[in-house]
Structure formats: C-alpha cells, structure tokens
C-alpha cells in the first residue's frame, strides 16, 4: 500500500497542479503533496523496521512472458534511504523556488515527473521497467534547462539530451541483446533478482555488462562520459540543478550498483581494476578541473563529478566498508550538492552574478546565506563532523583494506586521498572570493534569506550534520542488506 | 443474410457511398452542420460493425473473413474516422464539394478493406486500383492550388508505373500455375527455376514504391507537400496498412521458405536500412513542414520493414501494434499542423517559432506527438518500436547498431523543432488570429494524447493481439 501511494502521489499532484488557477496555489499544492509523500514514506520505514523481510511491499506479475517484461517491485533499505533523499530534495527545491513566477504550472509539473521517475527507479527490479523510469525524466530535464535555464542553456540542453540518449541507447542495446540471446526459457528473464539463474555464456555476459554499465555511467557521470554534467548543471535553474545533482545523477550510480551486484558480479570482479582506475581518474580529473573554474555553478558541478567518482570506487572494492561508504556518499552527496546549488541560486538571485571575480564579502550583508554556504562548503571539503567525512573515510579505509598484499590498492588509496587536498584548495578559494573579503558597493542593498529559503537551507544542513555526527543511525538501518549483497557474490 | 455478413464492412461502405450520392442528387443539406454530423455517424457506425457476430470462416476462393481481418478492418475504420474528423477542420476554409470528398474517401477505404481480405490475385489487383484512383482525385482536391494539381498528376503517373511493376510480377506467375489464389502466388510451385523469383522482386519493388520506401521515395515527398493536409495524413496511414500486410504475407509465408531467401532478405534489409537512414538524414535538413513529416514517416516505415522479418504471428502482432501507435501519433501531429496551416498560412517550421506563447494547447499536443515519433520512452511510439526490434530475427549486430544510432539522429531533429516552440519572443505578432478549438476537437485530441502517453502500459492489449494473430 505504501508503495502504491508514494508512486501515485506525483501523478495526483500533476493533475491537481494542472487545474490550479493562481500562481501561488500551484506552489501550495506542490508543497502539500511533497510533504504527504514524505509522511507516507516515513510510515513505510516505521513498518519496515519491525519486519524481517528483505523487500518491503514485494509484488510480482508477468506481463508479456515471451519478451520478459514483468513487474517486480519492492523496497529494500537502500531503496528507502534513496527515496527519503529524493523526497527531501523535492521538498527543499519546491521551497527554494517559492518566489518563482515564470510559467510555474509547467515547471512544477515537470518536477513531479522527475520525482516519479526517481521513485519508480528505486523501487523496481525489472530491467525494462527501470529503463522506462530512467527515460521518463529525460524530456523534462531537457525542457527545464531549455526554458528556464541561464547562460548558454540552449546549447547545453541539447548536449544533455543527446548524451543522455546515448546512455539510454547503450542500455537499450544491452536489453535487446539480452532478449535476443534468451527467449522463452524463463518468463521473467529481465528481472534482475533472478538474473543469475539464466546461465548465459560468459562472452555474452561481458558484452551485456559493458553495455549496461556504461549506459548507466553516462547518467552517473563516470570519467569518459562526464562531459554533459557541468554544462547541464551549470545552466539549469536553481531547483533544477538541485534535483539533477541531488537525485538524477544518483539514478545512474544506483543503476551501476544493480548491474554490478545483482547481475554480473563475476564479470565485475574480473574487471575491477579497470573500473577502479576509471574511478580514480574521475576523482582527480574532476577535482583538477574544479580548480580552474570561475563560475560558482560550474565549480560545484565539476566537484560533483569528483565526488561521484568515490561512489564508483566504493562499489568495486567488494568489501563492506567500500559498499557502506558508497551508499553513504550517495546520500551525503545528494544532500550536499542540493544545499550548495540552493545557496548558489540564492546568491545569484540577489547579486545576478555567479562569477567569483565579481563577488565578495557576502558575510557582512547576507549572513544567513553565507553561513549555509560555509556549512555546505565544509561538508564538500570532507570536514569531520559532516556526513561526507564519514563517506570518504569509509571508502578510503575500504580501499586500503581491500587487499593487504597489493601495491595497487595502496596507491589507489593515496591517489583517492588527494581529493581531500584538492577539495580543500577549491573550497577555501571560493570562501575567500565570495563570503569573505571586501563587499562591492552594489551589493549593499541585498536582502538576507526569506523564510522559505531559511527553511530549505536549515533542513538540508541539519541533515548533513546529523548524518555526520550519528552515522550509526544509517548503518544499523542498512547493515543487514549490505551483508546480504556481499554474501551473494 | 448469413452469407452477406462476411462482407459487412464492404457492404456498409458501398451503402454509405450510395447514400452520399443520393445526398448530392436530392438533398439541400450540403455544407451544413447536419451533413457533417451524418458523415461522422457513418464513419462511427463502421466501428460498430466489429461487434456483429462472426460467422465461421468461409472458404471462399475470392475472399477471407476471419477474426484477424476483422480486427485489421476495425483499425482501418478507426483511421477513417480520424481522417473524417481532420477533414472537418479543412472544410471550414475550403467550402468546395465536401460530399464528393467523402465519397472518394469511402471508395478508397473500400479498396483497402478488399486488399486486406483478398484471397485471389484478381481481387487484389482490382482493389489496388480502387485504392489508388480515389486517392489521386483526393490529392488534387484543392484544385484552386497549383501544387495540389501537380501532386495529383505526379501521384497518378508514378503510381501507374508502380502498378505496372506489380502487374508484371504477377503475370510471370501465369507461366507456372493455373491457380491464382494469393496462397498459390506466395507458396512456391513444386518445380521452379530462379526466373520465378523475379516476380517476387518486381512485386517487392512495386509495393515498396507504393509505400514510399527509400530508393522509391521521391514521389511521396512532393505528393505529401502538395496534397491537402487531411489527404497527406490519409496517404501516410491507412493504405500503408493494407500494402504492408500483403508485404508481410509475402515475406513471412513465401520468401522465408525459399532456398534463395538470403538474397531476397538482403534486398529487404537494404531497403529498410536505406529508408531509415535517408529519411532521417533528409529530415535533419528539411525546413518545410509537410516534406519533413514525409521524410520522418519514411524512416518510421524502415523500422517496420525490419520488424517483419520473422514468423507470421509475431510480424503481424508487432506490425498492427506499431500501426495503432503510428495512427494516433500522426493524427495529432497532422491535426495541429492542419489547423495552424489554415489559421496562419505556415509553410516552414520557423513560422511556428515561440508557439508556446501564442497557442499553449497546440504546442503541448505537438510536443507529445514528436516525443512519441522520436521513440522516447515511455510513449507508445517507444513500445511499438521496441517490440518491432525485438521481434526481428534476421539481422546482424551491425544493423542493430545502425538502427540504434538512427534513433539518436531522429531525436536530434525532432527536438530541434521542439526547441523552436519554446524560443522566447519579445513581440508577439498581433496578426496571429487564433481560432479556438471546438469542444469535440479538444476531446478527441486529449484522448489521443492519453493513448500515446499511457498506451504502452496496457500490456494485456499486446498479449491479446498476439493471441489473435497466432
């Protein structure tokens, strides 16, 4: 019941928004439904903790047996955490765009389509249905950037569309190849939980693995496929980039996790060094590119690439520290990039510039927003006491312990740890150039955060600190599932 | 009576034609609201025929009546209804001879129904002509426009050529057989030499010409451009159902079982690849609206041609499933284009710049249509293409990669146009007088949009189709 209600709430919200007359009414409706979704979800978590089943609200049905299309839904603990993240990001991005007046109906409708896509993706286990939910978000993302974006949004929206479609064509190719290999032996051969029973030839497994993994990593911004991220995130509207960085990129990483742990662990084990090298390149390359940026949004987008490299690194360690750190980074980075983009949006709204060279001294005039900015920055830097410290520490620890006799892992740990230095460099740089220093005269009149911005910012930063101080809350919740994934290998 | 019921669609269309002739002769209701309502009722009554009790299949030498043909004719009737709705809009501005228009339209539909049911080469050939001639007249229906007459003339000459090809192919059969049923044409005689296969090649070429597949596509572009928009829509959809069904029968039951099937299937694969690529590449650079739509439909049909290289049941299922989505999608796109053409005399896509600021509903419908044509999930268009690609058996990995790459090209040109609609415009042109949608129009468009957005999720329908055709 919880699953049906959380999936139907976005659809109902879209219908309600469609028939709203006033511009302010749209926002009230959107906020109401987003909070309702979070409440339903909390009830689900409350119920799930009492149960011992692996999947909450599990449901299976064959739809087209000879094509392998079936429904298999259910939520595990990772799914619950990702759904909570999506829900919180949705609420805070609606709050941030409270004063938004340019075609708000279309804007918030697209928001709920994005929300639906994420909710569907985290609760389904059939490859074809996963693909559908992943693709559901592509057109709304394109329109969000094209209509409401800033800067070179026309070019970057087309780039986003083409590169995401490239990713989905790779996934589609994988699904088609799989279906052609395998017909009418098991009626739901696209169900990823039953994937190991198929017994495909090893060569075919390799081909399908690479198609699917690279397809998902286009969405998750792994190194050779990261090129669309900065432009898209940099030119999207505030709430759009919050959602893109906070949730949509996580869909790709979560997809990679499914491919590696559920479908082809043996192929992944064989090629793990290759993927660890890719992840390291992503981390370092992203960080180096970040250092050279002058636009706040682009800077944050490049740092997202670097942080998402850690997720991939954690996935391929195949130990509990790596996997836990990887999931922790998924959540922590979602909240953190949401906060950073929200604050950058607030600054842009007041000063009409994102360029580091024209900003400065904001702490004197808009202390609340600057404080939020500092909190988000410290989290991005990996300061102890914030959630990303836990995640980075776990991943690095896992890398060191992955193989005690291997020189490769020791070097990998050292290289990955460089990200701490790089992130300190760029975060201190933007602190100096935006919040500290002399205040340009033209920014004297700007207003500090309004109530909705205060609410959204406090919510996100509060969660970041809570997750940093009490990681045990999350570990206890997902411990059982992580051990299960590793035992299944 | 029991004997007549197997001809229910054909008899009904004949009665409609006779009725409309009587209206011309004796009635004064022409061009009034009453007349259009009557046409609409006639087209809808055709849909109701589907629910008449079905008699056990009659083994007639000329005619097949089975649940399959019954269902296909239902879809053709549905297409006719959609065309009738489109033409209402057209006749608001062109007040010439609406009655003749519908007589010709129903005659063409009669021909299409006959092709679907034909069990004899003679019936097939006559029906082929019966489809073509009314459509030629309909292409030139806007006779005050020079382009329309040009398109009719082109259509006439070039389709005569195509029919010649088909007739030549069929006549080779006379040298080998005394039985002229369709089954005998498709199944090979016990002793044949390679010369016999030439008839297959000629028939394939002729039918590809009529459908407008790639090397034979040039006529289609000009004809679509010149013909009245409802007729472009007609040419685009329902005759192709009939031609392609015959094509599927020929491929899946005949060519697949010959010893030289690799050569013949290669010809079809080349046709398909050429259609997809040429359609997509030319659509990328085309600015004129109807020429663009013609190119895009060529590339769509290329994918169909891939999908039918498999067993008869799967091919028919996937093809009909595709055709339903194709019908709905093309309907909404052509409907809006038709309306905007009458309203603003648009020629190219750039005339539709910043449509969202002047006409929100049209813009939304067009975007939905393009998303489905581009095959972006989760629209109906994606599901139908996915099933077609999965169903096909006879192609290598390279062809598959080429098809998938073409999907990206298709995406680029459709979204280039969607981008135009959302471009910011500072001064809104006052001359754009917007005619409001009638209530029935909004209703039909919303239903079609719903089908396009959610149709793919009703997987039971696909399973039903598969059971029907196997």
């Amino acid at each position: 019941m919880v699953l049906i209600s959380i999936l139907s709430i976005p659809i109902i919200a879209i219908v309600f928004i469609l028939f709203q007359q006033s511009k302010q009414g749209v926002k009230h409706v959107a906020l109401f439904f987003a909070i309702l979704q979070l409440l339903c979800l909390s009830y689900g978590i409350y119920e799930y903790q009492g149960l011992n089943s692996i999947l909450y609200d599990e449901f299976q049905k064959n739809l087209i047996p000879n094509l392998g299309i079936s429904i298999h839904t259910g939520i595990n603990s990772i799914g619950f955490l990702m759904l909570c993240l999506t829900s919180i990001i949705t609420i805070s991005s609606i709050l941030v765009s409270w004063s938004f007046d340019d075609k708000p109906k279309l804007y918030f409708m697209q928001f709920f389509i994005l929300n639906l896509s994420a909710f569907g993706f985290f609760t389904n286990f059939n490859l074809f249905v996963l693909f559908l939910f992943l693709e559901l978000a592509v057109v709304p993302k394109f329109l969000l950037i094209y209509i409401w974006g800033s800067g070179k949004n026309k070019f970057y929206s087309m780039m986003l569309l083409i590169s995401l479609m490239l990713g989905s064509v790779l996934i589609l190719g994988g699904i088609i190849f799989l279906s052609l290999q395998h017909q009418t032996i098991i009626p739901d051969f696209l169900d990823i939980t039953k994937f190991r029973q198929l017994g495909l030839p090893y060569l075919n497994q390799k081909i399908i693995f690479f198609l699917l993994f690279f397809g998902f990593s286009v969405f998750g911004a792994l190194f050779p496929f990261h090129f669309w991220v900065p432009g898209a995130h940099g030119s999207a509207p505030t709430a759009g980039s919050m959602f893109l960085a906070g949730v949509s990129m996580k869909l790709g990483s979560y997809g990679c996790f499914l491919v590696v742990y559920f479908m082809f662990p043996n192929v992944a084990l064989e090629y793990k060094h290759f993927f660890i090298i890719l992840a390291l390149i992503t981390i370092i390359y992203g960080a180096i590119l970040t250092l050279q940026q002058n636009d706040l949004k682009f800077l944050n987008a490049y740092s997202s690439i670097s942080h998402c490299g850690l997720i991939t690194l954690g996935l391929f360690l195949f130990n509990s520290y790596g996997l836990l750190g990887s999931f922790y980074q998924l959540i922590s980075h979602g909240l953190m990039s949401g906060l950073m983009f929200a604050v950058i949006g607030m600054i842009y709204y007041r000063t009409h510039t994102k360029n580091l060279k024209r900003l400065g001294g904001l702490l004197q005039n808009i202390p609340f927003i600057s404080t939020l900015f500092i909190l988000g920055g410290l989290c991005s830097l990996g300061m102890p006491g914030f959630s990303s410290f836990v995640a980075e520490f776990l991943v690095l620890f896992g890398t060191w312990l992955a193989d005690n006799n291997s020189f490769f892992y020791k070097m990998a740990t050292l290289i990955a740890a460089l990200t701490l230095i790089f992130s300190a460099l760029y975060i201190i740089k933007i602190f100096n150039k935006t919040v500290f220093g002399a205040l340009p005269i033209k920014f004297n009149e700007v207003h500090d955060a309004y109530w909705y911005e205060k609410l959204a910012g406090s919510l996100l930063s509060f969660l970041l600190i809570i997750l940093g101080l009490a990681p045990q809350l999350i570990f206890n919740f997902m411990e059982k599932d992580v051990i299960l994934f590793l035992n299944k290998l | 009576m029991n004997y007549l019921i197997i001809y229910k669609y054909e008899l009904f269309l004949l009665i409609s034609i006779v009725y409309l002739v009587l209206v011309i002769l004796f009635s004064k209701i022409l061009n009034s609201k009453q007349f259009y309502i009557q046409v609409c009722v006639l087209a809808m009554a055709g849909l109701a025929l589907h629910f008449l009790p079905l008699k056990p299949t009659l083994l007639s030498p000329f005619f097949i009546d089975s649940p399959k043909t019954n269902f296909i004719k239902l879809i053709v009737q549905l297409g006719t209804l959609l065309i009738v709705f489109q033409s209402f809009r057209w006749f608001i501005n062109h007040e010439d001879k609406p009655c003749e228009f519908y007589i010709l339209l129903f005659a063409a539909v009669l021909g299409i129904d006959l092709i679907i049911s034909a069990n004899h080469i003679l019936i097939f050939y006559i029906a082929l002509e019966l489809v073509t001639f009314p459509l030629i007249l309909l292409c030139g229906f806007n006779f005050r426009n020079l382009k329309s007459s040009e398109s009719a003339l082109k259509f006439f000459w070039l389709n005569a050529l195509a029919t010649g090809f088909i007739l030549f192919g069929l006549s080779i059969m006379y040298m080998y057989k005394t039985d002229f049923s369709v089954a005998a044409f498709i199944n090979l005689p016990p002793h044949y030499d390679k010369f016999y296969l030439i008839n297959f090649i000629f028939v394939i070429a002729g039918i590809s010409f009529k459908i407008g597949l790639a090397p034979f596509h040039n006529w289609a572009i000009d004809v679509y451009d010149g013909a009245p928009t409802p007729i472009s829509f007609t040419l685009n959809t329902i005759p192709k159902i009939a031609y392609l069904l015959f094509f599927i029968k020929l491929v899946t039951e005949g060519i697949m079982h010959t010893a030289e099937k690799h050569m013949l299937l290669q010809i079809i694969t080349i046709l398909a690849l050429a259609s997809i690529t040429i359609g997509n590449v030319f659509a990328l650079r085309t600015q004129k609206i109807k020429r663009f739509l013609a190119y895009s439909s060529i590339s769509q049909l290329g994918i169909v041609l891939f999908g039918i290289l498999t067993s008869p049941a799967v091919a028919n299922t996937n093809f009909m499933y595709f055709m339903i989505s194709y019908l709905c999608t093309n309907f909404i796109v052509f409907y809006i284009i038709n309306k905007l053409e009458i309203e603003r005399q648009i020629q190219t896509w750039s005339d539709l710049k910043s449509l969202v600021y002047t006409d929100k509903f049209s813009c939304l419908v067009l975007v939905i249509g393009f998303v489905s044509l581009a095959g972006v999930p989760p629209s109906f268009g994606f599901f139908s293409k996915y099933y077609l690609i999965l169903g096909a058996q006879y192609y290598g990995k390279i062809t598959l990669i080429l098809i998938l790459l073409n999907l990206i090209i298709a995406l680029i040109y459709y979204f280039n146009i969607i981008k135009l609609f959302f471009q910011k415009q500072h001064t809104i042109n006052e001359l754009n007088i917007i005619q409001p949608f009638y209530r029935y129009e909004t209703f039909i468009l919303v239903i079609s949009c719903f089908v396009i957005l959610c149709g793919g999720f009703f997987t039971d329908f696909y399973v039903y189709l598969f059971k029907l055709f196997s």
Side-chain angles (χ1 to χ4, degrees):
Chain A
M1 272 316 287
V2 169
L3 211 155
I4 295 170
S5 58
I6 57 174
L7 282 179
S8 55
I9 280 171
I11 301 170
I12 299 168
I14 289 170
V15 175
F16 268 83
I17 288 171
L18 199 62
F19 292 107
Q20 274 296 318
Q21 296 300 327
S22 70
K23 283 184 173 178
Q24 211 55 34
V26 170
K27 293 159 199 164
H28 285 110
V29 169
L31 188 62
F32 170 74
F33 278 105
I35 291 175
L36 190 66
Q37 204 178 28
L38 185 62
L39 290 179
C40 284
L41 200 58
S42 333
Y43 177 72
I45 292 175
Y46 170 72
E47 227 180 38
Y48 173 75
Q49 280 183 323
L51 298 171
N52 272 324
S53 66
I54 308 299
L55 283 177
Y56 177 71
D57 258 4
E58 193 172 4
F59 175 74
Q60 290 191 29
K61 192 183 177 216
N62 287 346
L63 293 178
I64 305 180
N66 46 355
L67 298 181
I69 294 170
S70 63
I71 289 183
H72 184 190
T73 54
I75 319 177
N76 53 21
S77 58
I78 319 297
F80 265 123
L81 290 174
M82 298 311 294
L83 292 181
C84 282
L85 170 72
T86 315
S87 194
I88 287 163
I89 294 284
T90 312
I91 290 174
S92 51
S93 46
I94 288 169
L95 279 174
V96 163
S97 38
W98 200 255
S99 60
F100 192 83
D101 263 347
D102 184 11
K103 296 193 276 298
K105 236 187 208 181
L106 195 58
Y107 188 76
F108 284 105
M109 270 161 64
Q110 288 180 1
F111 240 88
F112 276 101
I113 297 176
L114 288 176
N115 181 298
L116 177 66
S117 125
F119 267 72
F121 192 84
F122 292 131
T123 53
N124 272 289
F125 290 97
N126 185 294
L127 198 54
F128 184 74
V129 181
L130 284 177
F131 174 71
L132 286 185
F133 277 113
L134 194 63
E135 285 298 288
L136 183 65
V138 170
V139 179
K141 276 179 202 167
F142 167 76
L143 289 179
L144 263 180
I145 297 174
Y146 188 80
I147 302 175
W148 294 281
S150 57
K152 284 166 73 181
N153 58 338
K154 284 168 189 166
F155 171 72
Y156 285 127
S157 61
M158 210 61 199
M159 189 159 155
L160 166 111
L161 185 77
I162 293 169
S163 37
L164 289 193
M165 270 299 161
L166 184 76
S168 51
V169 159
L170 286 175
I171 300 172
L172 186 65
I175 296 175
I176 290 172
F177 191 74
L178 179 60
S179 310
L180 293 180
Q181 290 303 315
H182 219 281
Q183 277 174 343
T184 64
I185 295 172
I186 301 175
D188 46 354
F189 58 89
L190 286 178
D191 189 338
I192 54 174
T193 53
K194 294 174 187 163
F195 212 77
R196 310 263 196 90
Q197 302 163 12
L198 291 184
L200 289 170
Y202 192 61
L203 181 69
N204 290 346
Q205 281 195 27
K206 268 190 206 168
I207 296 173
I208 298 167
F209 171 80
F210 277 103
L211 282 173
L212 290 178
F213 188 85
F214 283 134
F216 280 119
S217 36
V218 173
F219 287 82
L222 195 67
F223 161 61
F225 309 110
H226 67 283
F227 49 86
W228 61 274
V229 176
H233 291 194
S235 53
T238 308
S241 19
M242 279 171 78
F243 209 93
L244 275 173
V247 179
S248 300
M249 266 167 88
K250 306 296 171 294
L251 298 190
S253 305
Y254 186 76
C256 289
F257 156 69
L258 292 179
V259 173
V260 171
Y261 279 83
F262 278 81
M263 295 171 74
F264 305 104
N266 44 351
V267 186
L269 273 170
E270 188 187 334
Y271 288 98
K272 63 180 176 183
H273 290 94
F274 171 65
F275 286 108
I276 286 173
I277 290 171
L278 273 189
L280 289 177
I281 294 174
T282 316
I283 293 168
I284 297 302
Y285 186 61
I288 290 173
L289 284 177
T290 314
L291 280 172
Q292 299 159 355
Q293 301 302 315
N294 271 326
D295 185 305
L296 271 178
K297 267 193 160 178
F298 275 80
L299 197 144
N300 205 20
Y302 275 111
S303 80
S304 297
I305 297 173
S306 166
H307 286 130
C308 282
L310 279 172
I311 299 172
T312 318
L313 179 62
L315 281 186
F316 281 94
L317 297 175
F318 297 103
N319 57 22
S320 57
Y321 298 111
L323 200 53
L324 270 176
S326 193
F327 289 139
Y328 216 81
Q329 177 75 344
L330 273 177
I331 297 154
S332 138
H333 178 255
L335 294 170
M336 181 184 78
S337 59
L339 179 63
M340 284 303 271
F341 276 119
V343 175
I344 291 167
M346 291 173 204
I347 293 174
Y348 181 66
Y349 180 71
R350 284 166 177 75
T351 61
H352 304 290
T353 179
K354 292 177 288 185
N355 197 329
L356 281 181
K357 288 174 185 164
R358 295 191 197 139
L359 289 166
L362 294 176
L363 192 58
Q364 299 165 24
N365 209 350
I366 41 173
F368 194 88
I369 294 175
S370 309
T371 316
L372 289 180
F373 190 70
I374 292 170
L375 285 177
L378 287 179
C379 184
S380 175
L381 189 149
M383 193 77 159
F386 288 93
S387 59
S388 75
F389 170 72
V390 182
E392 282 173 15
F393 178 76
L394 275 173
V395 173
L396 295 178
F397 197 57
T399 323
W400 189 265
L401 290 183
D403 189 352
N404 262 331
N405 300 323
S406 162
F407 180 66
F408 177 78
Y409 284 104
K410 310 294 175 201
M411 279 312 290
T413 318
L414 286 179
I415 294 170
L418 280 180
T419 178
L420 295 170
I421 300 171
F422 280 122
S423 57
L425 277 175
Y426 60 75
I427 292 295
I428 299 296
K429 176 183 144 196
I430 59 171
F431 279 177
N432 281 336
K433 293 207 173 167
T434 52
V435 289
F436 302 126
L439 183 73
I441 300 160
K442 57 184 171 182
F443 301 148
N444 270 334
E445 298 291 308
V446 292
H447 192 284
D448 202 4
Y450 298 101
W451 65 269
Y452 46 86
E453 290 167 340
K454 280 183 182 169
L455 205 58
S458 325
L459 176 69
L460 291 173
S461 45
F462 174 73
L463 283 169
L464 283 178
I465 295 170
I466 284 289
L467 290 184
L469 294 179
Q472 210 56 36
L473 286 175
I474 306 283
F475 289 160
N476 287 341
F477 187 66
M478 64 183 180
E479 201 177 20
K480 206 169 55 183
D481 275 351
V482 168
I483 291 167
L484 190 86
F485 295 144
L486 288 168
N487 285 343
K488 264 195 206 165
L489 285 176
Chain B
M1 189 61 203
N2 277 350
Y3 191 74
L4 287 181
I5 214 164
I6 63 167
Y7 300 113
K8 54 188 179 182
Y9 281 105
E10 290 76 10
L11 280 178
F12 176 74
L13 285 166
L14 263 182
I15 292 167
S16 317
I17 291 168
V18 172
Y19 174 74
L20 288 174
V21 172
L22 289 179
V23 167
I24 294 182
L25 290 179
F26 299 114
S27 171
K28 293 194 174 65
I29 61 161
L30 274 178
N31 248 336
S32 67
K33 202 175 172 185
Q34 219 180 345
F35 170 71
Y36 290 114
I37 289 173
Q38 283 181 14
V39 174
C40 196
V41 167
L42 281 180
M44 279 184 183
L47 291 179
L49 289 178
H50 181 67
F51 302 104
L52 282 182
L54 192 71
K55 291 290 149 195
T57 309
L58 188 83
L59 286 173
S60 152
F62 294 108
F63 200 82
I64 307 171
D65 182 51
S66 66
K68 295 174 202 173
T69 58
N70 224 16
F71 179 80
I72 295 163
K73 284 176 189 172
L74 176 74
I75 300 298
V76 172
Q77 254 328 309
L78 187 71
T80 318
L81 184 66
L82 296 180
I83 294 161
V84 167
F85 278 135
Q86 267 205 14
S87 60
F88 289 166
R89 210 7 123 167
W90 198 72
F91 277 115
I92 290 174
N93 271 33
H94 305 76
E95 295 181 346
D96 329 297
K97 306 189 190 317
C99 203
E100 283 85 338
F101 183 92
Y102 295 113
I103 291 173
L104 291 170
L105 179 66
F106 286 151
V109 176
L110 177 60
I112 290 163
D113 279 359
L114 278 176
I115 295 182
I116 291 165
S117 284
N119 199 19
H120 196 277
I121 292 296
L122 200 62
I123 295 278
F124 172 73
Y125 185 73
I126 291 171
L128 211 60
E129 295 294 282
L130 188 54
V131 179
T132 313
F133 277 93
L135 286 179
I136 292 166
L137 294 174
L138 284 171
C139 278
F141 206 78
N142 191 3
F143 46 79
R144 295 206 179 82
N145 187 347
L146 211 60
K147 264 189 148 182
S148 178
S149 313
E150 181 201 331
S151 95
L153 209 60
K154 260 182 192 162
F155 193 49
F156 172 65
W157 282 113
L158 294 169
N159 270 279
L161 190 69
T163 316
F165 274 144
I166 294 175
L167 193 60
F168 182 67
L170 295 176
S171 65
I172 291 176
M173 206 177 95
Y174 276 91
M175 295 169 26
Y176 291 86
K177 278 180 187 164
T178 50
D179 180 9
F180 302 124
S181 67
V182 170
F185 166 68
I186 286 167
N187 299 324
L188 295 173
H191 306 291
Y192 71 96
D193 45 31
K194 280 193 178 169
F195 185 66
Y196 185 78
L197 293 175
I198 288 178
N199 76 5
F200 281 156
I201 292 174
F202 269 94
V203 171
I204 288 173
I207 291 180
S208 312
F209 205 105
K210 295 225 166 210
I211 299 166
L213 290 171
F216 316 108
H217 66 286
N218 282 318
W219 66 274
I221 317 299
D222 289 342
V223 171
Y224 282 35
D225 197 20
T229 314
I231 298 307
S232 311
F233 172 61
T234 315
L235 288 172
N236 207 359
T237 47
I238 54 172
K240 286 180 180 173
I241 296 182
Y243 299 145
L244 273 164
L245 274 171
F246 187 77
F247 201 94
I248 290 170
K249 223 186 248 176
L250 185 67
V251 171
T252 56
E253 289 167 21
I255 290 174
M256 291 288 202
H257 305 297
T258 57
E260 287 82 8
K261 78 174 182 188
H262 287 297
M263 189 219 11
L264 290 165
L265 288 180
Q266 252 173 19
I267 293 175
I268 295 171
T269 315
I270 290 167
L271 276 180
L273 259 188
S275 307
I276 297 177
T277 317
I278 290 179
N280 276 337
V281 171
F282 279 78
L284 207 55
R285 305 299 305 164
T286 309
Q287 273 300 311
K288 284 207 164 181
I289 293 174
K290 272 150 80 182
R291 297 180 90 84
F292 171 89
L293 290 174
Y295 279 121
S296 89
S297 79
I298 288 167
S299 76
Q300 304 267 334
L301 288 169
I303 295 179
V304 174
L305 216 57
F306 269 117
I308 62 176
L309 304 181
T310 172
S311 69
V314 177
N316 278 318
T317 313
N318 289 340
F319 169 67
M320 283 319 291
Y321 195 79
F322 178 85
M323 247 12 214
I324 292 166
S325 88
Y326 184 73
L327 200 63
C328 289
T329 317
N330 271 300
F331 170 68
I332 59 169
V333 173
F334 273 90
Y335 199 99
I336 300 294
I337 295 300
N338 186 20
K339 177 173 178 284
L340 294 175
E341 233 174 20
I342 291 163
E343 227 170 75
R344 328 183 174 182
Q345 276 76 44
I346 50 167
Q347 287 285 323
T348 59
W349 287 116
S350 50
D351 295 341
L352 287 180
K353 228 175 238 176
S354 36
L355 184 66
V356 71
Y357 296 92
T358 51
D359 196 347
K360 271 182 197 160
F361 185 68
S362 303
C363 178
L364 183 70
V365 173
L366 272 181
V367 169
I368 291 173
F370 282 152
V371 162
S372 180
L373 280 178
V376 177
S379 60
F380 205 172
F382 165 72
F383 280 93
S384 50
K385 277 181 196 167
Y386 178 73
Y387 295 150
L388 274 174
I389 293 174
L390 272 196
Q393 293 164 346
Y394 290 91
Y395 54 72
K397 292 190 184 80
I398 294 169
T399 4
L400 185 64
I401 292 169
L402 281 176
I403 295 174
L404 291 176
L405 283 181
N406 267 298
L407 287 183
I408 296 184
I409 300 179
L411 198 84
I412 294 172
Y413 63 76
Y414 286 119
F415 276 80
N416 268 332
I417 293 163
I418 291 178
K419 268 163 72 178
L420 277 183
F421 297 158
F422 288 98
Q423 240 172 41
K424 285 202 175 74
Q425 195 187 37
H426 299 297
T427 53
I428 290 165
N429 196 352
E430 294 291 327
L431 288 173
N432 291 342
I433 307 148
I434 292 153
Q435 298 170 354
F437 282 95
Y438 295 115
R439 204 167 282 169
Y440 80 91
E441 288 179 307
T442 322
F443 181 69
I444 298 161
L445 286 173
V446 167
I447 286 187
S448 314
C449 287
F450 178 77
V451 169
I452 288 167
L453 287 179
C454 306
F457 296 112
F458 298 107
T459 41
D460 288 348
F461 178 63
Y462 182 81
V463 177
Y464 164 77
L465 269 186
F466 190 74
K467 274 180 192 155
L468 186 71
F469 284 106
S470 56

